[in-house]
């Protein structure tokens, strides 16, 4: 079977660079193009010092990537991610967006276009497996205790607050009628951390998930990309796109 061909937007960024390193090690996936701003025309492998990615050019937009691909993966910035995804859909590609802080209206337009073309797209707030499991347990805490507080902390250069992961969890809890509060920390030394707290008479419980390296996202992106080429529709979480992740045996 031929490998799933990927274009990665933001492949030179903090997250994108770790993700493409992981993807380059997967036999059934092939990074064929990259999108970036400052290094257009450069060779991704040479730039990242990763020979498996040599020959992959960095282009100004998805439309400028010379190779054909099956999936566009985006870790860029909120003001450009949906426009790049729309270009990918225009090339009949499936789309996987990791970028957070997107305008809900532009996401709705993307979803509508994807449905019209019978393609598939997913906007995933968190690609790490631990975060998916924490979300599942947090919903259970909400059901049992009726009130949940979320404390999310990220590195200082993160532009959106609260994080996409915390917003997604808060809206799922609120939809269940759970009283929810979210607190954000932006500190040097943090990569990404989320605590979920609940309390009842005489007890408190907290669940902590911490990303200590952005390597945590690679496996989730690979899983999502493999799944995306087998489905159509619009997905808003890793567990919705890949139900096997949280299914019981
Ligand atoms: N869903 C998840 O699991 C997850 C995990 C981690 C991060 N994220 C999200 O992913 C996004 C990226 O985070 P990061 O920390 O990796 O950011 P970053 O280090 O600033 O990297 C951003 C990347 O996007 C590129 N870029 C920015 N503006 C662009 C434009 N107009 N056109 C083309 N390329 C552009 C940058 O290229 P230049 O350097 O050339 O400008 C860079 O390669 C954020 O929204 C973050 O919240 C999501």
């Amino acid at each position: 079977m031929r490998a799933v061909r990927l274009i990665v937007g933001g492949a030179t960024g903090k997250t994108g660079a770790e993700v493409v390193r992981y993807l380059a090690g997967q036999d059934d996936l092939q990074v064929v193009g990259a999108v970036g701003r400052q290094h257009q025309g450069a060779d991704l492998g040479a730039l990242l010092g990763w020979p498996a990615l040599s020959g992959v050019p960095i282009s100004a937009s998805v439309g400028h990537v010379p190779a054909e691909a099956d999936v566009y993966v985006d870790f860029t910035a909120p003001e450009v991610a949906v426009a790049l995804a729309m270009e990918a859909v225009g090339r009949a590609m499936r789309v996987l967006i990791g970028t957070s802080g997107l305008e809900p209206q532009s996401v709705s337009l993307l979803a509508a276009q994807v449905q019209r073309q019978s393609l598939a797209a997913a906007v995933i707030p968190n690609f790490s497996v631990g975060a998916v499991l924490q979300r599942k347990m947090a919903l259970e805490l909400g059901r049992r205790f009726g009130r949940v507080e979320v404390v999310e902390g990220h590195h200082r250069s993160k532009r959106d607050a609260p994080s996409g992961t915390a917003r997604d969890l808060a809206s799922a809890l609120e939809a269940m009628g759970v009283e929810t509060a979210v607190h954000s920390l932006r500190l040097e030394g943090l990569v990404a951390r989320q605590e979920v707290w609940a309390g009842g008479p005489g007890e408190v419980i907290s669940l902590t998930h911490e990303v200590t390296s952005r390597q945590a996202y690679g496996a989730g992106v690979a899983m999502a990309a493999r799944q995306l080429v087998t489905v159509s529709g619009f997905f808003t979480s890793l567990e919705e796109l890949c139900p096997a992740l949280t299914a019981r045996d």
Side-chain angles (χ1 to χ4, degrees), residues 48-132:
L48 299 182
W50 199 254
L53 291 164
S54 67
V56 175
I58 301 175
S59 304
S61 71
V62 181
H64 285 93
V65 175
E68 292 299 317
D70 305 296
V71 179
Y72 172 63
V73 179
D74 187 281
F75 285 98
T76 59
E79 63 277 10
V80 72
V82 175
L84 291 171
M86 282 291 201
E87 285 181 27
V89 170
R91 289 183 65 175
M93 294 167 60
R94 286 165 155 77
V95 165
L96 196 52
I97 299 186
T99 302
S100 57
L102 307 178
E103 283 292 326
Q105 260 184 326
S106 57
V107 174
S108 302
L109 290 175
L110 173 66
Q113 188 59 32
V114 165
Q115 307 279 13
R116 265 196 294 278
Q117 291 186 226
S118 302
L119 288 171
V123 177
I124 308 275
N126 203 311
F127 281 100
S128 80
V129 172
V132 170

Side-chain angles (χ1 to χ4, degrees), residues 122-176:
V123 177
I124 308 275
N126 203 311
F127 281 100
S128 80
V129 172
V132 170
L133 296 175
Q134 188 199 44
R135 184 184 191 278
K136 188 179 176 179
M137 291 184 260
L139 298 182
E140 185 61 25
L141 289 185
R143 260 190 290 276
R144 300 287 170 138
F145 290 95
R147 176 174 169 78
V148 166
E149 300 221 10
V150 180
V151 185
E152 64 90 355
H154 283 81
H155 54 94
R156 292 211 54 195
S157 61
K158 182 166 178 64
R159 289 165 46 189
D160 52 321
S163 67
T165 307
R167 277 174 205 257
D168 170 62
L169 174 58
S171 58
L173 287 163
E174 281 158 6
M176 290 163 49

